Amino acid sequence: MNNEKKVLIFANSSWYLYNFWLNNLFLFQSSGYKVILMSNDDGFGAMLKEQGFEFHALSVSRGVNGLFGDIRLIFKLKTIIKDLNPDIIHNLNPKPVLYGSILSLLIQTFSNQKKIMIINSFPGLGRLYSDGFALYSFLRLIFENIYRVISKSSQVKSVFQVSSDRDYFLNKKIISRQSSYVIKGSGVDIDNFYSNNKSRKKNQLRILMASRITAEKGVHVYLAACRELNIRYSDISFFLAGKTDDNEPDLISHEELIESCHESGVNYLGHVSNMSELLRTIDIVVLPTNRREGVPRILVEAAASGVSLIATNIGGCADIVQHNLNGFIINQNSEEDIVVAIEKFVENNELLTQFGLASREIVRNEMNSKYVASEYINIYKLIN
């Protein structure tokens, strides 16, 4: 008799699964779970199959766009869940959380199929909780009321990357304390990132911002700070990495970006496929985001690489950037705060070594893949 438990993992994109969750997937598999994946196939489905995972391509629209055009997705998702009959369905993004949870509960209610444990991971509350537009406030209210009903099921477990997000849901009585958890980040393989115990600063201090190229991520603020610092210093190199995304409402056009980088003295690198290699050459990573996200991947990877950090106190940034320990927390939309923080490193070379070592230790203790995967497996074991 095969006692292998089937885990069906539902995400927005194959890119997200491959780049953020691959290590966890291997660890789930090595712990005796059969891992089955489903998401948009945005170029990484074949790569996930090459790694030995069963993959089902779906068409999942992003954000509120296409919210009412997902009927085909719902029917296909229903068929997959019924045919595969998983023991656990693990939903990783907001729309998978809603659709995956509702369909799983309905299937269990109106069929003779076994009970399915539903694990909903919230990497961050995102634009729904960052944007003040009336539409987002309305959608937020709908989401919270639906999820309040979903979470009443004993089969549903909610996992948050950010403790303050969990506290918000608890305070609004959307979830219960006993069925909710905090697991910081998606985990990184710390062996892929190497720290340098010596100060990295030689002749040039090297500073990087890496994110989607949007105003909400703070790109304009970063470029403005770089412009000011380039006036004051000649021994700092500034870099910006990331790609533009036409689906983002606050997209910065490629033409505007190139012009702004030129004016600010910033080297635009575009999309970087091997971030670990780049981070070995970087002294400081800056993320002046205004978006209420989870624990930003770039900050975790930078910390794993022994890099000092500067970020706003938004979402899970403060879970990885501990002020005056491995970096500096700055105010939103403040180029001046970025300038002041970077000047502290200019004035004190020892901070790079001190903060870099602290960064790597934080990831080693709480955010490495083995730790994160084991925390999820402990929840998997709660299955009835």
Side-chain angles (χ1 to χ4, degrees), residues 301-313:
E301 291 185 348
S305 302
V307 172
S308 302
L309 308 175
I310 299 171
T312 48
N313 188 14

Side-chain angles (χ1 to χ4, degrees), residues 174-245:
I174 299 170
I175 58 172
S176 67
R177 189 170 298 276
Q178 59 268 29
S179 64
S180 60
Y181 310 82
V182 175
I183 301 175
K184 295 179 181 180
S186 303
V188 296
D189 183 353
I190 199 166
D191 293 333
N192 286 340
F193 300 88
Y194 299 94
S195 64
N196 187 339
N197 291 332
K198 299 177 182 178
S199 172
R200 296 181 179 205
K201 184 178 178 183
K202 295 177 183 177
N203 297 321
Q204 287 284 115
L205 190 66
R206 294 169 62 87
I207 299 171
L208 169 72
M209 176 179 175
S211 75
R212 285 194 298 278
I213 306 300
T214 66
E216 189 180 43
K217 287 287 190 176
V219 171
H220 290 310
V221 181
Y222 174 70
L223 292 176
C226 295
R227 185 182 303 115
E228 177 61 29
L229 286 161
N230 268 319
I231 294 171
R232 301 185 191 185
Y233 304 97
S234 60
D235 57 349
I236 304 178
S237 295
F238 297 97
F239 301 90
L240 175 64
K243 60 181 181 179
T244 56
D245 187 341

Side-chain angles (χ1 to χ4, degrees), residues 179-337:
S179 64
S180 60
Y181 310 82
V182 175
I183 301 175
K184 295 179 181 180
S186 303
V188 296
D189 183 353
I190 199 166
D191 293 333
N192 286 340
F193 300 88
Y194 299 94
S195 64
N196 187 339
N197 291 332
K198 299 177 182 178
S199 172
R200 296 181 179 205
K201 184 178 178 183
K202 295 177 183 177
N203 297 321
Q204 287 284 115
L205 190 66
R206 294 169 62 87
I207 299 171
L208 169 72
M209 176 179 175
S211 75
R212 285 194 298 278
I213 306 300
T214 66
E216 189 180 43
K217 287 287 190 176
V219 171
H220 290 310
V221 181
Y222 174 70
L223 292 176
C226 295
R227 185 182 303 115
E228 177 61 29
L229 286 161
N230 268 319
I231 294 171
R232 301 185 191 185
Y233 304 97
S234 60
D235 57 349
I236 304 178
S237 295
F238 297 97
F239 301 90
L240 175 64
K243 60 181 181 179
T244 56
D245 187 341
D246 293 337
N247 292 312
E248 295 288 349
D250 59 341
L251 167 73
I252 299 171
S253 71
H254 184 73
E255 294 75 16
E256 179 187 357
L257 177 66
I258 297 303
E259 182 179 351
S260 296
C261 285
H262 177 72
E263 291 175 353
S264 303
V266 174
N267 301 291
Y268 177 54
L269 305 176
H271 173 68
V272 175
S273 58
N274 194 337
M275 187 58 69
S276 64
E277 290 290 338
L278 175 61
L279 287 170
R280 288 172 199 157
T281 71
I282 296 297
D283 300 296
I284 304 164
V285 161
V286 180
L287 186 65
T289 182
N290 289 319
R291 186 165 186 167
R292 191 168 172 177
E293 50 198 313
V295 182
R297 184 75 171 192
I298 181 58
L299 295 182
V300 178
E301 291 185 348
S305 302
V307 172
S308 302
L309 308 175
I310 299 171
T312 48
N313 188 14
I314 303 295
C317 291
D319 284 339
I320 182 67
V321 185
Q322 298 184 19
H323 191 65
N324 282 327
L325 177 65
N326 70 325
F328 298 111
I329 293 292
I330 58 173
N331 292 310
Q332 297 178 57
N333 300 313
S334 177
E335 63 186 81
E336 182 181 351
D337 277 10

